[in-house]
Amino acid sequence: MQIRTLLVGSALAALLAGCATGPTDQAATEMEATTVTYQGTLPCRNCEGIDLNVTLNGEEQGAAAERTFDLGASYRAHPQNPPDENYAGNWEVLQGTEQDPSATVYELVPDGEGQTYYFLRVDPQTLELIDPNLRRFQNSEMLQLKRL
């Protein structure tokens, strides 16, 4: 009886010792800030398209100050040859659209001057540009960015 109690006690002590160690490599990786990049080409009236590159840094549940973005836009074969546009700022998570109250929308607010962008998270691999009233455009498939 004492041997069984001793074995159970030893096993319990080993189990508790394992719980007392620091985070595993996997847990440490999950705690690091994430960076996700989406790319796509949007339609353009006067050119062959607008190449859009959006990089989101931080986590949806993270602190607002840690959620930053970089957005770059390049015009293809535009007659006026405008310079590339680059914006940086913070992004917020909004909940719901007119069509889907459970939808997730990312609001990208640039530092200084610049347009605020709204992207509907269609799925983990796809963002779609939507209007400031959180409505999808008719040609929504043409306004999607894919995760790299």
Side-chain angles (χ1 to χ4, degrees), residues 48-117:
E48 294 176 7
I50 304 167
D51 294 327
L52 204 61
N53 184 34
V54 176
T55 300
L56 301 176
N57 302 299
E59 305 260 343
E60 284 185 24
Q61 299 82 13
E66 295 173 2
R67 289 191 308 264
T68 62
F69 77 89
D70 293 298
L71 184 145
S74 301
Y75 295 84
R76 282 197 213 164
H78 194 285
Q80 297 173 345
N81 199 26
D84 291 349
E85 297 177 23
N86 294 293
Y87 302 101
N90 290 86
W91 58 278
E92 294 291 329
V93 181
L94 307 178
Q95 201 65 41
T97 64
E98 277 186 8
Q99 295 88 6
D100 183 2
S102 65
T104 299
V105 175
Y106 300 138
E107 177 185 49
L108 282 59
V109 181
D111 297 331
E113 292 187 27
Q115 168 184 328
T116 298
Y117 288 87

